[in-house]
Amino acid sequence: MLRSTLGSLHGDLEQALAQHFATYPVYVLNHSPFEKAAGALVKDIIIKEESLEPLYFLVKFLGCLYNAALK
């Protein structure tokens, strides 16, 4: 969905996001026993692009519900 929507900007967006997260990582590994156990559990998870689209709409919907509840 992103590729078809963004067209030629998709590559630029991908590069910008990669640079941002290289500078400001979400999480820095410290190789604690907890991290190693979590890594062993999730190492075989594969995320495909077609599975992201329904997730995007679900998150957007939940965000709308949350915002409506705040008003």
Side-chain angles (χ1 to χ4, degrees):
M1 178 182 137
L2 283 176
R3 283 193 180 113
S4 62
T5 304
L6 295 175
S8 63
L9 293 177
H10 183 267
D12 296 337
L13 177 64
E14 196 171 298
Q15 287 178 341
L17 285 172
Q19 288 174 351
H20 173 78
F21 288 116
T23 305
Y24 307 102
V26 174
Y27 184 77
V28 178
L29 297 176
N30 64 8
H31 304 293
S32 68
F34 177 74
E35 276 184 354
K36 290 178 183 176
L41 291 173
V42 300
K43 70 178 183 180
D44 295 327
I45 293 176
I46 299 170
I47 299 173
K48 298 180 180 176
E49 187 172 346
E50 58 270 9
S51 67
L52 293 176
E53 189 173 339
L55 181 60
Y56 167 78
F57 289 110
L58 176 63
V59 169
K60 190 150 180 91
F61 174 72
L62 292 174
C64 290
L65 288 177
Y66 177 76
N67 289 333
L70 292 178
K71 291 183 179 180

